[in-house]
């Protein structure tokens, strides 16, 4: 059956007819919430009160639809997809929700008539601290698309009290402070204490026998903890469906020991409460210590254990036997963080529901699917056996049994006597200590494993999971990532959105491939002039933001060269820095050198324990401080590193970008989605043939992208032939002088401040081939400089990027998951 053959046939929600969405209705609803919810009036309300009252007005409308959606799903006993992700990078929700339910402009007018600005109200909200980087932002896009496509879905995660961290710079160095994003409450979330779940941890396993002599394993002497769910409604765009995220907060099962307190043990009396609440305290606790590792493992188990119990409870409301679970529930593991869910579902089915092992394993495999997001072996989740035995002793037994049966029944059958194969594919990595390979558990316990870009999937099959692909070739698929055009064009770039509406109509946010119709307008010089005017307006807005946060005045007519992403060596922000220094050095030698004025814009966080990444941030800021105040170069170069990167900041940077830096080492980036967002907003990519860059290149055409550097095959050949970064260093005088200049004390004023960076590039062997790609990168940057000198050519290239990246809608990605992995179909809900 065709995905698009489903039509909106469900009855409309009666409650949705009570609010007509008019300006007057919105005004009255906001007033009502000020008075009845917040106990203030229009004269005494604070900015935060106005934000909450406006959010509550929108939330009321969404919850009416949510109630109706749940009623339809329950009455039809639908199949749902359950998306397991340790993070969701949601950003702010008010504007996105206003767009989704179609009352953005009326709300803007209503607030204006009440003497308030919608933009000011929106700015009151913090970014929700539920995610960090691309993994979490992808999950947020997918949840948006699932609702927009009328697909029954629930996302599961953790309701973190604190986000990753708030980033600031002192003397150019990253400083982390708590991201207390929930300090003033979150008007979107609804607590469900009646749905709380109790889970077990630690303890030991006993082999017990019943009266008939039948033995079974019993997990006993455990510590217990409560998971309390908070629901976050997710409204589909232009439809009646409202799905939800269910985010778990950890609480103690026994809050307070009164006897101990009365005996004077005040700290001991609340110890269990404090320890339990630590689990949902912080996103990604530092795992450099043993206690940090243990907390991460507990976090991962806590969220999957709560979620699985919730899923099974919902399933049993309408179903009598476990055999049909895969027909009603599809569970997608977003990377390896939730992989312990495989062992937990087996424990629930075998130990608690008393199913035979083979029956339980078949149900398990038919229920789970796994998305891999990395080609870096060191980034795959691995847990030491002693730690796992301490925290989850019964699960360790189950994993060993899964491994034994897999090696005997699958690997030995295909490759008899091949111990090397067994070692390669085993869920247990031998050594001291032994390690559990969670990615292997996810592959073996799932019916499908997918990569997130065509190149990434091929490299998974060729390298990382080569043996599994030989064993289970039908299990591997590609699902190229996508982004939601609602947030990443319609909301964040209203000027371009309005131009597109006037050109091709307003249905493109649900049908992004319609952007191809823009090609009929791009040859019109008047249309291109409008396109340029939109871009310049966005650049003016970003210029003001840079002046505010960085104290740097930049020219909106300069080329805005943007690299915004997590700070990691493989993403090669330091290659970008070497190019900046190359231009700076050339200008100092020849102040009359003709180059296009350029503003280099960075935004990124480095993990607190990642020393080299933090050193790269320091280096960029030190170079920026010197360049930005150097009058000798006549303002031709400026460098701005905007602090505390997140979704709301990205929404301001992306529409203003001229160049999109996607310069990872070929074969290291799984996909990337920042490349898609920037291209959609008319930025031209300079990048390697890595991740989704390959497919962007196919879509936009070779003449509308600046590709440089080694390909995956050339990278492999270079390493196999014996790559020496020192050879490049000594052979290339300009490169050598730039590296020496950077790593002297010229920029930092501190001897050895960037010693780890120098060591990585030279004595450390340059693991991400920065020196090998330097020449090609600098040459393609010169090509971009030449192209920007012709405004008409540049605007045509930029507009064609917007027109040709419709493939990268997360709606397309989710349709493919639904049809080819989940066997899930739309259930239309009329609003």
């Amino acid at each position: 059956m065709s995905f698009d053959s489903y039509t909106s046939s469900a009855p409309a929600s009666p409650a949705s007819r009570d609010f007509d969405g008019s300006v007057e209705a919105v005004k009255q609803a906001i007033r009502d919430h000020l008075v009845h919810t917040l106990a203030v009036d229009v004269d005494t309300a604070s900015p935060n009160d106005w934000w909450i009252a406006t959010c509550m007005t929108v939330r009321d409308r969404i919850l009416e639809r949510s109630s109706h959606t749940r009623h339809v799903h329950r009455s039809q006993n639908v199949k749902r997809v359950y998306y397991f992700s340790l993070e969701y990078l949601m950003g702010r929700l008010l504007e996105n929700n206003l767009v989704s339910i179609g009352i953005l402009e009326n709300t803007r007018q209503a607030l204006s008539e009440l003497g308030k600005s919608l933009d000011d109200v929106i700015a009151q909200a913090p970014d929700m601290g539920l995610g960090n980087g691309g993994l979490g932002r992808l999950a947020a896009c997918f949840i948006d698309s699932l609702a927009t496509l009328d697909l029954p879905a629930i996302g599961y995660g953790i309701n973190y009290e604190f986000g990753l961290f708030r980033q600031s710079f002192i003397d150019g160095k990253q400083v982390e402070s708590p991201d207390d994003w929930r300090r003033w409450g979150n008007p979107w979330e609804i607590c469900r204490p009646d749905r709380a779940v109790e889970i077990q941890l630690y303890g030991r396993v006993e082999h017990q026998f019943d009266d008939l002599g039948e033995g079974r394993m019993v997990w006993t002497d455990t510590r217990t903890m409560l998971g309390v769910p908070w629901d976050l409604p997710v409204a589909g765009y232009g439809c009646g469906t409202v799905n939800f995220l269910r985010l778990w907060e950890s609480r103690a099962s026994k809050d307070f020991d009164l006897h101990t307190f009365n005996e004077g043990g005040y700290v001991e009396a609340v110890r269990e409460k404090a320890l339990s609440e630590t689990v949902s305290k912080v996103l990604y606790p530092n795992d450099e210590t043993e206690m940090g590792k243990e907390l991460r493992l507990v976090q991962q188990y806590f969220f999957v254990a709560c979620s699985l119990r919730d899923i099974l409870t919902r399933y049993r409301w309408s179903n009598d036997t476990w055999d049909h679970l895969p027909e009603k529930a599809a569970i997608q593991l977003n990377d390896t963080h939730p992989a312990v869910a495989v062992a937990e579902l087996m424990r629930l089915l075998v130990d608690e529901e008393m199913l035979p092992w083979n029956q339980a394993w078949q149900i398990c495999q038919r229920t789970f699917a796994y998305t891999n997001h990395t080609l870096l072996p060191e980034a795959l989740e691995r847990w030491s056996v002693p730690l796992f035995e301490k925290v989850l002793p019964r699960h360790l037994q189950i994993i060993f049994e899964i491994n034994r049966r897999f090696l005997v029944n699958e690997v030995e059958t295909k490759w008899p006597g091949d111990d090397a194969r067994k070692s390669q594919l085993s869920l247990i990595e031998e050594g001291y200590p032994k390690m559990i390979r969670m990615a292997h558990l996810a592959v073996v316990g799932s019916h499908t494993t997918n990569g997130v870009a065509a190149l990434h999937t091929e490299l998974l099959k060729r390298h990382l999971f080569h043996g599994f692909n030989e064993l289970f070739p039908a299990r591997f698929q590609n699902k190229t990532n996508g982004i939601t055009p609602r947030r990443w064009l319609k909301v964040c770039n209203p000027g371009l959105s309005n131009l597109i509406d006037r050109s091709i109509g307003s249905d493109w946010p649900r049908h992004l491939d319609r952007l191809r119709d823009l090609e009929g307008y791009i040859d019109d010089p008047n249309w291109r002039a409008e396109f340029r005017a939109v871009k310049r307006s966005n650049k003016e807005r970003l210029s003001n933001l840079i002046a505010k946060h960085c104290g740097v005045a930049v020219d909106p007519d300069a080329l805005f060269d943007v690299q915004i992403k997590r700070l990691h060596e493989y993403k090669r922000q330091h290659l970008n820095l070497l190019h900046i220094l190359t231009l700076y050095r050339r200008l100092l030698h020849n102040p009359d050198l003709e180059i296009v004025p350029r503003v280099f814009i960075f935004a990124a966080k480095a993990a607190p324990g990642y020393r080299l990444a933090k050193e790269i941030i320091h280096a960029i800021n030190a170079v920026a401080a010197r360049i930005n105040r150097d009058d000798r170069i006549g303002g031709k170069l400026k460098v701005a590193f905007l602090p505390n990167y997140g979704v709301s900041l990205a929404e301001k940077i992306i529409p203003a970008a001229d160049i999109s830096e996607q310069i990872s080492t070929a074969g290291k980036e799984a996909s990337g989605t920042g490349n898609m967002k920037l291209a959609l907003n008319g930025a031209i990519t300079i990048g390697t043939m890595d991740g989704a860059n390959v497919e962007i290149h196919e879509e936009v055409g070779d003449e509308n992208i600046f590709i440089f550097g080694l390909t995956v095959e050339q990278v492999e050949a270079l390493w196999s032939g014996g790559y020496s970064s020192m050879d490049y260093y000594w052979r290339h005088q300009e490169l050598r002088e730039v590296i020496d200049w950077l790593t002297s004390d010229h920029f930092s004023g501190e001897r050895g401040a960037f010693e780890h960076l120098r060591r990585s590039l030279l004595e450390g062997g340059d693991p991400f081939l920065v020196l090998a790609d330097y020449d090609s990168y600098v040459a393609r940057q010169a090509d971009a400089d030449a192209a920007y000198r012709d405004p008409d050519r540049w605007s045509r290239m930029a507009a064609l990027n917007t027109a040709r990246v419709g493939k990268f809608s997360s709606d397309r990605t989710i349709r493919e998951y639904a049809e080819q992995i989940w066997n899930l179909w739309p259930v239309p809900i009329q609003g």
Side-chain angles (χ1 to χ4, degrees):
M1 185 179 294
S2 167
F3 195 96
D4 293 324
S5 67
Y6 290 83
T7 58
S8 294
S9 57
S13 164
S16 68
R17 295 190 287 268
D18 296 342
F19 176 84
D20 63 10
S22 66
V23 172
E24 283 303 317
V26 174
K27 284 169 63 177
Q28 187 58 50
I30 292 173
R31 285 196 206 98
D32 287 346
H33 275 296
L34 287 172
V35 174
H36 301 300
T37 305
L38 301 170
V40 296
D41 57 37
V42 294
D43 297 318
T44 61
S46 68
N48 198 63
D49 292 332
W50 282 101
W51 168 61
I52 292 175
T54 306
C55 290
M56 289 294 193
T57 296
V58 179
R59 194 185 82 161
D60 288 347
R61 317 289 70 86
I62 290 174
L63 291 182
E64 290 169 357
R65 297 184 182 189
S66 175
S67 177
H68 186 51
T69 300
R70 295 188 196 206
H71 170 74
V72 172
H73 289 174
R74 189 166 53 249
S75 64
Q76 296 184 15
N77 191 20
V78 300
K79 181 175 185 177
R80 294 177 178 87
V81 62
Y82 298 103
Y83 198 77
F84 280 22
S85 181
L86 202 58
E87 54 173 297
Y88 294 89
L89 197 59
M90 303 296 289
R92 295 167 173 162
L93 295 184
L94 177 55
E95 189 172 11
N96 211 67
N97 282 336
L98 286 168
V99 166
S100 291
I101 67 173
I103 61 170
L104 175 67
E105 293 309 318
N106 282 358
T107 302
R108 187 184 304 279
Q109 181 63 31
L111 283 166
S112 177
E113 292 180 12
L114 291 168
K116 299 296 172 183
S117 159
L118 175 60
D119 291 341
D120 291 343
V121 169
I122 290 169
Q124 284 296 308
D127 275 20
M128 299 177 70
L130 299 172
N132 171 29
L135 184 78
R137 186 53 238 172
L138 180 76
C141 287
F142 280 3
I143 290 296
D144 174 275
S145 286
L146 284 161
T148 297
L149 295 173
D150 288 319
L151 291 166
I154 299 172
Y156 283 106
I158 294 178
N159 199 15
Y160 301 102
E161 182 177 347
F162 295 96
L164 186 67
F165 58 83
R166 289 192 64 81
Q167 179 195 57
S168 58
F169 301 130
I170 296 179
D171 297 328
K173 299 175 183 178
Q174 173 177 292
V175 176
E176 303 98 24
S177 57
D179 176 19
D180 192 4
W181 69 279
R182 296 177 71 189
R183 173 182 294 180
W184 307 114
N186 178 5
W188 302 105
E189 61 187 10
I190 302 100
C191 188
R192 307 278 192 189
D194 58 313
R195 304 290 173 82
V197 171
E198 187 172 81
I199 67 159
Q200 298 169 270
L201 290 158
Y202 302 101
R204 59 190 179 85
V205 181
E206 285 185 352
H207 195 180
Q208 297 182 357
F209 295 88
D210 61 20
D211 293 340
L212 299 176
E214 295 290 329
R216 59 188 291 262
M217 294 299 181
V218 178
W219 189 13
T220 188
D221 293 338
T222 58
R223 259 180 52 192
T224 59
M225 178 186 305
L226 286 181
V228 177
W230 292 77
D231 288 354
L232 193 72
V234 180
Y237 173 82
C239 65
T241 294
V242 176
N243 291 324
F244 62 95
L245 286 180
R246 178 154 285 179
L247 305 171
W248 299 98
E249 177 186 7
S250 60
R251 294 186 188 173
S253 55
K254 183 175 68 174
D255 278 350
F256 186 67
D257 186 336
L258 183 60
H259 175 74
T260 302
F261 184 86
N262 288 335
E263 292 292 318
Y266 307 125
V267 174
E268 290 298 323
V270 294
R271 180 179 296 277
E272 183 178 344
K273 174 179 169 63
L275 289 173
S276 295
E277 291 177 357
T278 298
V279 173
S280 60
K281 185 72 72 177
V282 179
L283 168 66
Y284 292 146
N286 192 334
D287 63 355
E288 290 191 323
T289 67
E290 286 305 309
M291 288 190 68
K293 289 183 175 70
E294 183 174 330
L295 178 56
R296 280 216 190 186
L297 177 57
V298 170
Q299 262 192 350
Q300 292 177 12
Y301 175 70
F302 165 75
F303 118 75
V304 302
C306 291
S307 303
L308 284 169
R309 283 201 176 275
D310 195 56
I311 290 167
L312 298 189
T313 298
R314 187 177 297 107
Y315 173 78
R316 288 308 294 263
W317 288 343
S318 305
N319 302 276
D320 297 326
T321 68
W322 292 112
D323 289 325
H324 301 298
L325 179 64
E327 297 163 23
K328 296 298 178 183
I331 301 176
Q332 188 69 36
L333 305 176
N334 190 30
D335 216 6
T336 52
H337 306 125
V340 70
V342 174
E344 172 66 0
L345 183 56
M346 284 298 291
R347 187 190 71 82
L348 291 170
L349 294 177
V350 172
D351 290 2
E352 297 193 8
E353 300 300 329
M354 308 297 288
L355 266 62
W357 180 279
N358 288 341
Q359 182 185 1
W361 183 241
Q362 184 182 55
I363 291 170
C364 186
Q365 284 188 310
R366 291 172 57 212
T367 300
F368 285 113
Y370 162 55
T371 300
N372 172 276
H373 285 279
T374 183
L375 290 162
L376 303 175
E378 65 271 20
L380 295 175
E381 211 82 36
R382 294 159 69 250
W383 297 110
S384 74
V385 166
L387 174 61
F388 214 90
E389 185 173 32
K390 174 185 176 183
V391 178
L392 300 170
R394 177 58 180 140
H395 298 74
L396 181 64
Q397 293 180 339
I398 289 170
I399 289 171
F400 271 108
E401 181 61 13
I402 291 171
N403 192 48
R404 185 191 69 79
R405 291 173 181 247
F406 166 64
L407 294 178
V408 170
N409 299 336
E410 305 280 0
V411 181
E412 176 65 22
T413 299
K414 186 169 180 65
W415 296 292
D418 192 338
D419 290 338
R421 285 281 188 178
K422 292 191 180 78
S423 177
Q424 175 198 8
L425 297 177
S426 175
L427 276 59
I428 309 300
E429 180 182 314
E430 297 299 325
Y432 184 80
K434 293 181 179 180
M435 305 294 289
I436 303 172
R437 296 162 163 163
M438 301 305 285
H440 289 205
L441 176 63
V443 171
V444 171
S446 300
H447 60 82
T448 304
T449 295
N450 72 277
V452 291
L455 176 62
H456 170 236
T457 302
E458 286 307 307
L459 292 175
L460 282 181
K461 294 192 290 187
R462 193 190 312 169
H463 297 300
L464 200 63
F465 295 144
H466 176 67
F468 288 108
N469 183 54
E470 288 186 295
L471 191 60
F472 309 124
R475 289 194 191 180
F476 286 84
Q477 296 187 21
N478 176 58
K479 295 289 169 280
T480 297
N481 282 343
I483 59 173
T484 168
R486 275 75 65 179
R487 182 178 290 271
W488 294 113
L489 181 50
K490 188 168 181 63
V491 169
C492 78
N493 197 343
L496 182 54
S497 175
N498 290 336
L499 176 59
I500 295 170
D501 286 351
R502 297 198 311 271
S503 302
I504 63 171
S506 60
D507 65 341
W508 57 268
R510 284 181 65 93
H511 307 283
L512 200 61
D513 52 351
R514 283 276 333 271
L515 292 183
R516 279 277 179 178
D517 295 343
L518 290 175
E519 292 196 44
Y521 296 85
I522 290 173
D523 288 333
D524 180 350
N526 294 324
W527 193 93
R528 290 200 304 275
E530 283 194 73
F531 184 88
R532 285 195 297 274
V534 168
K535 179 66 75 173
R536 194 183 192 286
S537 175
N538 293 332
K539 292 169 74 174
E540 289 173 357
R541 181 178 69 159
L542 181 57
S543 298
N544 294 333
L545 194 72
I546 290 170
K548 177 180 178 182
H549 292 289
C550 302
V552 179
V554 301
D555 180 1
D557 290 321
L559 190 160
F560 279 21
D561 185 326
V562 169
Q563 188 171 18
I564 49 173
K565 52 183 75 249
R566 180 167 56 93
L567 206 305
H568 196 288
E569 291 168 86
Y570 85 83
K571 295 178 183 289
R572 300 201 297 189
Q573 283 93 344
H574 46 332
L575 174 58
N576 190 346
L577 179 59
L578 292 180
H579 172 243
I580 293 170
L581 285 168
T582 299
L583 294 180
Y584 183 33
R585 185 174 175 278
R586 289 175 182 176
L587 281 168
L588 290 178
H589 288 159
N590 177 15
D592 297 324
L593 181 69
E594 291 219 3
I595 66 168
V596 168
R598 193 182 298 218
V599 180
F600 293 91
I601 299 164
F602 294 88
K605 291 180 178 179
Y610 192 171
R611 184 171 183 175
L612 182 52
K614 295 173 79 169
E615 194 169 288
I616 292 170
I617 288 177
H618 183 200
I620 293 169
N621 279 325
V623 169
R626 183 61 63 95
I627 286 176
N628 292 337
R629 64 173 184 260
D630 194 335
D631 294 333
R632 295 173 294 173
I633 61 175
K636 290 181 179 178
L637 298 181
K638 292 292 178 76
V639 182
F641 202 128
L642 287 157
N644 205 39
Y645 182 53
V647 173
S648 294
L649 182 56
E651 289 175 340
K652 296 178 176 65
I653 297 173
I654 287 170
D658 292 311
I659 281 182
S660 164
E661 297 270 358
Q662 308 298 329
I663 59 176
S664 54
T665 313
K668 298 299 183 185
E669 185 73 82
S671 170
T673 53
N675 45 9
M676 303 169 189
K677 295 162 195 163
L678 284 152
L680 181 63
N681 283 272
I684 300 170
T685 302
I686 183 164
T688 52
M689 291 293 273
D690 193 30
N693 291 353
V694 175
E695 291 163 80
I696 291 174
H697 176 252
E698 292 171 355
E699 295 297 311
V700 305
D702 190 61
E703 67 280 6
N704 299 307
I705 192 170
F706 299 105
I707 294 295
F708 76 93
L710 301 168
T711 63
V712 168
E713 293 74 20
Q714 290 167 336
V715 165
E716 292 172 354
L718 185 61
W719 282 119
S720 64
Y723 171 63
S724 169
S725 60
M726 295 300 293
D727 289 346
Y728 285 81
Y729 173 77
W730 288 113
R731 195 163 59 231
H732 196 307
Q733 180 180 347
E734 186 173 41
L735 173 60
R736 183 172 68 254
E737 291 176 350
V738 164
I739 291 174
D740 290 347
W741 193 27
L742 170 63
T743 56
S744 70
D745 61 2
H746 178 79
F747 292 100
S748 68
E750 304 173 37
R751 183 175 298 278
F754 307 132
E755 188 57 36
H756 291 90
L757 176 53
R758 180 183 182 89
R759 192 176 301 132
S760 171
L761 292 174
L762 300 177
E763 295 91 342
D766 188 18
F768 298 102
L769 303 177
V770 171
L771 276 65
D773 275 346
Y774 169 83
D775 263 345
S776 176
Y777 179 57
V778 171
R780 287 303 269 160
Q781 287 282 15
D783 293 339
D785 181 288
Y788 194 76
R789 293 168 189 269
D790 182 347
D792 222 38
R793 177 191 172 194
W794 188 272
S795 58
R796 177 180 171 80
M797 293 171 67
L800 283 170
N801 269 264
T802 297
R804 292 179 176 177
V805 294
K807 167 184 175 177
F808 301 105
S809 169
S810 51
D811 295 352
R812 184 269 312 156
T813 312
I814 288 298
R815 281 193 185 95
E816 292 178 1
Y817 273 100
E819 292 178 341
Q820 299 165 23
I821 295 180
W822 303 330
N823 193 28
L824 186 70
W825 304 102
V827 179
I829 310 289
Q830 289 190 350

